[in-house]
Amino acid sequence: MTNSEDEIAVRPRSAALYERACHVIPGGVNSPVRAFRAVGGTPLFIARGAGQQLFDADGRGYLDFVNSWGALILGHAHPAVVAAITDATKNGTTFGAPCAGEVELAERIVASYPALEQVRFVSSGTEAVMSAIRLARAFTGRDLIVKFSGCYHGHADHLLVAAGSGLATFGRPSSAGVPEAFTACTRVLPLDDEAAVKALFDTEGARIAAVIIEPVPANHGLLLQRREFLESLRRVTSQHGTLLIFDEVISGFRLARGGVSELAGIVPDLATFGKVIGGGMPVGAFGGPRRIMARLAPDGDTYQAGTLSGNPVAMASGIATLDVLIRESGWQKLEALGTQLGEMLAPVLADAPFPVHLVRAGSLFWMSFHEAGAPRTAAPLSEAASARFSALFHAMLERGVYLPPSAYEACFLSLAHTTADLQRLTQALRESFAAIA
Ligand SMILES: *Cc1c(COP(=O)(O)O)cnc(C)c1O
């Protein structure tokens, strides 16, 4: 169903909304991946979500494996979250002054994440990363930052840097509108490559403020890293007085209560959060030990602020989400669900008419269409593989399953998903593979 005329016939309300949107919103969307450009066709406009399901403007239902890119770990409209947001709203939606919710959510995060002493709230993951980097530069008195090819850290200028071609490269902007001067202090390295890290630190180590990494990179497919690689980053940064930043905007409170830090037994100097901690409201946070966080204004000399930071409604949503996860042993349940998914998908993927490999970490999973299997580094998909994914995406949509509209995006399980939902996913995949073979 990639023919757009067919789609307009099938989903007239989404098509009409998209046409109106394109007049007043660039590309008709407020975040590019939503526009379906990678898979073709026109985006669904969503009218509502309930548990594991999404309903579009035309009233069609879909089993949702995007969950707002991982923000909805409890699924859509969880009653505890809806109640918390409703109650909070009755008391006003923003004060621009401190409220108890900020303290309560901060206490939960600090108590959960290894060695974390303080956090500050912002309104998005992008802001959390931007602020953490500014703080790292202030604390170390250095300018350079290191990121890894294939890791996404939001859309701040100095982090929108393209992948190098394998070896350490000087950062080049990957977006128009980002002056080269802004990324001149960014170094891009390949994942999974201790030698490249060492070579860079041998020459520039004394100038590097921070190394930032998604410890389970989940924005270029799912590029699971060797624990030794993460350990080597911890070692080399400590040796050079460089801060290690774990960007846990996706992985934090998803893979474990203490994120990848807990799972890998590696403590970063700073960590960034987003997605899950807002329970579907706009929340980001960054944190670390008091000795570093004290550099932030008003105590310190590093400015950082936000009109809606620590918003009472958003805090209530985050608190309710974390409380359900803790009360229901959510992470154990999600791991069990993920294991089940792996077992159910294995025979279907093995029978697929082309190579598809399942990569999974807890409730995060990715069907890799790479012919070579599951990569550890950011590699481009072949054109043939991309075309196969697009066909699968539309075949699944027709069968009522909503996958991320890009072959490079990971899928998310929520606590609302059941074994029956995994069976539906498996059956839809089997049929879709047959339909597009
Ligand atoms: C989503 C994401 C961000 C950016 O968060 P926004 O809330 O979209 O600004 C940063 N880092 C990682 C790892 C992410 O997945």
Side-chain angles (χ1 to χ4, degrees):
M1 196 56 63
T2 50
N3 181 317
S4 59
E5 285 192 10
D6 286 351
E7 271 191 273
I8 287 167
V10 179
R11 302 188 187 93
R13 295 213 176 90
S14 275
L17 282 167
Y18 185 54
E19 200 186 321
R20 276 170 61 198
C22 285
H23 284 289
V24 288
I25 299 170
V29 293
N30 286 303
S31 201
V33 71
R34 298 178 192 172
F36 279 25
R37 295 289 159 83
V39 290
T42 53
L44 305 184
F45 277 65
I46 305 302
R48 71 187 177 90
Q52 67 279 62
Q53 283 197 288
L54 277 179
F55 295 89
D56 69 14
D58 293 285
R60 285 182 158 213
Y62 306 87
L63 198 48
D64 183 16
F65 290 99
V66 181
N67 284 288
S68 195
W69 306 100
L72 298 175
I73 199 164
L74 306 181
H76 296 273
H78 188 283
V81 178
V82 172
I85 289 174
T86 308
D87 285 349
T89 305
K90 288 175 189 153
N91 293 321
T93 52
T94 177
F95 312 124
C99 66
E102 295 166 84
V103 186
E104 287 170 22
L105 187 56
E107 283 171 350
R108 281 164 178 74
I109 294 173
V110 164
S112 301
Y113 198 84
L116 205 67
E117 290 178 336
Q118 295 192 317
V119 283
R120 177 160 283 177
F121 291 111
V122 291
S123 299
S124 69
T126 295
E127 272 183 273
V129 169
M130 266 173 51
S131 307
I133 296 240
R134 183 180 305 148
L135 177 60
R137 284 174 161 155
F139 184 78
T140 58
R142 302 173 181 180
D143 290 339
L144 299 186
I145 55 175
V146 177
K147 78 172 286 286
F148 293 90
S149 174
C151 287
Y152 177 69
H153 302 293
H155 64 92
D157 282 338
H158 51 281
L159 289 163
L160 269 188
V161 183
S165 60
L167 291 172
T169 54
F170 282 85
R172 292 259 159 65
S174 62
S175 166
V178 179
E180 296 228 357
F182 286 23
T183 55
C185 290
T186 305
R187 300 289 180 267
V188 183
L189 292 178
L191 287 161
D192 191 43
D193 188 344
E194 282 93 334
V197 175
K198 180 176 185 307
L200 180 66
F201 270 86
D202 282 349
T203 56
E204 296 193 294
R207 295 176 56 209
I208 300 173
V211 170
I212 184 165
I213 188 169
E214 291 177 76
V216 170
N219 279 289
H220 201 286
L222 198 54
L223 308 175
L224 300 184
Q225 298 302 294
R226 290 173 294 114
R227 180 162 164 227
E228 304 84 74
F229 178 64
L230 297 176
E231 280 171 346
S232 79
L233 295 181
R234 179 61 288 180
R235 226 171 15 249
V236 76
T237 48
S238 296
Q239 282 162 0
H240 288 84
T242 296
L243 300 190
L244 178 62
I245 305 175
F246 275 2
D247 182 352
E248 300 233 34
V249 169
I250 282 186
S251 52
F253 292 93
R254 170 164 288 279
L255 298 186
R257 184 170 174 179
V260 182
S261 175
E262 176 193 317
L263 293 176
I266 298 170
V267 178
D269 298 296
L270 293 172
T272 56
F273 304 94
K275 301 194 169 102
V276 171
I277 64 162
M281 296 292 280
V283 181
F286 62 103
R290 209 166 274 111
R291 72 192 162 84
I292 301 177
M293 296 301 283
R295 286 297 290 264
L296 285 174
D299 286 346
D301 56 359
T302 310
Y303 192 70
Q304 190 283 327
T307 301
L308 296 179
S309 293
N311 175 273
V313 182
M315 296 295 107
S317 171
I319 292 164
T321 298
L322 296 192
D323 283 354
V324 170
L325 282 167
I326 292 165
R327 196 172 58 235
E328 299 189 1
S329 305
W331 298 284
Q332 264 165 278
K333 282 188 188 162
L334 287 166
E335 176 58 41
L337 206 59
T339 303
Q340 212 174 27
L341 173 85
E343 287 162 3
M344 288 163 73
L345 285 193
V348 182
L349 300 189
D351 287 350
F354 43 78
V356 187
H357 301 266
L358 180 73
V359 186
R360 185 183 71 83
S363 56
L364 262 175
F365 68 99
W366 180 48
M367 288 182 280
S368 167
F369 275 50
H370 282 289
E371 287 84 356
R376 286 193 205 283
T377 58
L381 284 161
S382 69
E383 259 178 54
S386 300
R388 290 194 285 259
F389 178 81
S390 299
L392 180 80
F393 172 82
H394 287 286
M396 294 294 279
L397 209 55
E398 285 314 303
R399 286 164 182 78
V401 176
Y402 189 67
L403 299 176
S406 159
Y408 293 107
E409 300 286 357
C411 301
F412 297 88
L413 294 174
S414 77
L415 278 183
H417 286 113
T418 64
T419 304
D421 297 327
L422 301 185
Q423 272 154 358
R424 264 186 71 194
L425 170 69
T426 309
Q427 182 59 25
L429 272 173
R430 207 179 266 293
E431 290 174 20
S432 297
F433 283 137
I436 66 178

